[in-house]
Structure formats: C-alpha cells, structure tokens
Amino acid sequence: MTDTGHDRRPRAATGRFAGRRIVVTGGSRGLGEHVVRLLLSEGARVATCARRPEPLEALRSSLDSPDTLFTQPLDVAVPELLERFVEEAASALDGLDGVVACAGGARGRGITEATAQDWSATWDMNAGHFARLVATSAPHLRAAGGGPIIVVSSVSGWKPGPQAQYGAAKAAQIHMVSCLARELAADGIRVNAVSPGSMLIPGKRWDRMRQEDPPAFDRFRAEFPGRELVRPEEVADVIAFLLSEQSRGVTGVNLPVDKGQNAPTPEGY
C-alpha cells in the first residue's frame, strides 16, 4: 500500500475542481492518467489505484504537489480490496465529492475458446468493479450532499465486435447507469457513462498497429468518418465536464466520445 501522507491543512487550490475530492480507479496510465492529471491541474485532490505500484509511484513523483494524490495498488476485481481502497481514500481526502470508474479490461477470445473463467473475470473487471465502487462510495457522496459518478464504458457496449464477453460487460455498465441514476437521485447523486471509441494511446494496440502495420491501420481509420481515432485527452475533457457543475442537469446518460466510429475493431461486424 502506498499512502501520500496527505496534508490535512487547507490548501489554496484554484480551478474548476478546487477543493473537490475525487476517486478515479485505474488512474496510473492511459485514459485514467489523463483524467487524474486534468483533475489535479484544476484544483482537485484525487485518490487513484492500479494493479502495480510502480506506475503509481511514477505518477506521484512527476507531480509538483504529490500530497494532492492518494494512491494504492490493488486489483479492482477483488471486492474487499476495492471497498477498502474507497474507505481509505475517503479518510485520506476527508470525504468524497465525485467518482470515476476508469479501470476495466477483458480476458479470453471468441465464444468457442473463451472459458467460464474468462467471462467471469471480464465481468468482474468491468460491471462488478463498477457496482462495488458505487455501493461503497455512495454513502460518502450522500454525506457530502451528493455528487457525480462516471463510468468509462465503451462503444463495444452497443456496437457489435469481438469479444462478446467484453461487449456484454460494457453493455451492463451502460444499463446500470440508467438504473442507478434513478435509484440514487434522491441523494443528489448523478450517474453517467462515457463510452470512448478506439483511443490512440502511446504504446497501446492502435499505436503499435500504426507503427508496425501502417496499411492495416489505414484501413481501420476508415471506420471513422474523419479518419482520426479518439485521443484520451478528448475523453478526459468529457469526463471532467460530467464531474463539473456545468453538467448538473445531466444524469442517466451514456455519452459516446467516438468521433462517429463504426465498427469498434478492425475485424468489423
């Protein structure tokens, strides 16, 4: 476990999220890191987690004010570890004002090859993680007078593509948002989903394709009307909007950030 030794004295934070206390799961790399850095840059205090401690330490050491970030390594698919993280984050930040479920993933291949364990693991990383995160953080948001919850789903949640276990788990997240938005509305809690299209993240699948197989990458670009993949900072901006007061009238929605993408993978269908 890594603790920031959070300074409880008042800070002269400025920005859209000055003084706000926000949990972001999966915040050490990729989209999650963009979200964490954006929130910190606009005055928030943030708690985040990831499987490995090294990226979390690298993130903290890169900050000018590392005391504004609470980190903890854990697997979000393990309910008791995720629940303990939320409780310790709320203690370190003196409460919670917002939550972003950014962690996720997939396991297994096609339907005839994927095992029951692949289906279960994919569910736990996505829908299960989101459910436990909401259940554990909602009392803290209620105590603060309400607040936003955002889950990062995917275009794969409603546009068909391989593998089915991933699409099913992402579709479940989207449906949960519409249910939870109604269930938690009386507590002043807004619940929304952001569904990114295929993101161009350095070192990840599409970036490797761009470098290693330019013709295949160019064919994949044809799935986007503007022939440009989504960038993580574009998705982070939308997440920040849904966390902000500017979106106080928005709840129960799934907001695509996909640049009009057609098929979610080069395999199409």
Side-chain angles (χ1 to χ4, degrees):
M1 180 174 70
T2 302
D3 197 318
T4 64
H6 171 65
D7 186 348
R8 295 175 182 267
R9 294 173 297 176
R11 299 183 59 83
T14 60
R16 184 169 34 161
F17 300 107
R20 297 277 295 279
R21 304 154 299 180
I22 302 174
V23 162
V24 181
T25 61
S28 67
R29 295 183 295 181
L31 173 60
E33 181 182 356
H34 280 274
V35 172
V36 168
R37 290 187 183 276
L38 177 57
L39 296 176
L40 291 171
S41 73
E42 296 203 36
R45 288 181 288 155
V46 178
T48 194
C49 60
R51 282 194 183 94
R52 296 173 50 244
E54 295 83 4
L56 291 170
E57 288 294 342
L59 174 61
R60 287 197 65 242
S61 64
S62 71
L63 301 175
D64 292 333
S65 300
D67 61 297
T68 59
L69 181 67
F70 173 89
T71 63
Q72 196 171 97
L74 64 113
D75 183 350
V76 298
V78 181
E80 57 269 27
L81 297 182
L82 178 61
E83 292 163 3
R84 186 176 69 187
F85 163 69
V86 173
E87 297 298 340
E88 293 182 3
S91 177
L93 301 179
D94 298 322
L96 295 180
D97 300 299
V99 175
V100 182
C102 196
R107 188 172 299 172
R109 299 178 66 82
I111 189 64
T112 60
E113 300 172 76
T115 65
Q117 290 74 25
D118 292 331
W119 277 82
S120 178
T122 302
W123 176 271
D124 290 341
M125 284 187 279
N126 297 283
H129 143 241
F130 178 45
R132 295 319 308 159
L133 182 64
V134 174
T136 311
S137 61
H140 296 287
L141 295 176
R142 184 186 305 122
I149 298 175
I150 294 96
V151 62
V152 178
S153 186
S154 169
V155 295
S156 295
W158 79 95
K159 295 182 179 181
Q163 277 69 42
Q165 62 269 28
Y166 180 71
K170 288 301 184 183
Q173 288 180 325
I174 294 169
H175 187 75
M176 288 166 63
V177 160
S178 61
C179 295
L180 296 175
R182 291 177 176 270
E183 182 176 343
L184 300 174
D187 296 320
I189 297 173
R190 297 186 292 109
V191 189
N192 292 294
V194 171
S195 287
S198 299
M199 288 184 286
L200 192 61
I201 299 174
K204 296 295 185 178
R205 179 182 180 184
W206 312 122
D207 186 46
R208 293 196 304 270
M209 177 187 282
R210 179 177 62 173
Q211 298 180 50
E212 298 169 6
D213 192 349
F217 181 75
D218 197 53
R219 288 192 298 273
F220 183 43
R221 287 173 58 217
E223 298 290 347
F224 298 80
R227 298 186 64 80
E228 288 187 359
L229 275 67
V230 180
R231 296 187 178 274
E233 54 267 34
E234 296 168 333
V235 183
D237 284 340
V238 174
I239 292 171
F241 164 71
L242 290 174
L243 286 169
S244 75
E245 284 299 303
Q246 284 74 27
S247 66
R248 59 188 177 274
V250 181
T251 192
V253 306
N254 172 43
L255 184 53
V257 188
D258 62 2
K259 293 191 173 181
Q261 182 177 1
N262 183 26
T265 66
E267 290 86 355
Y269 78 81

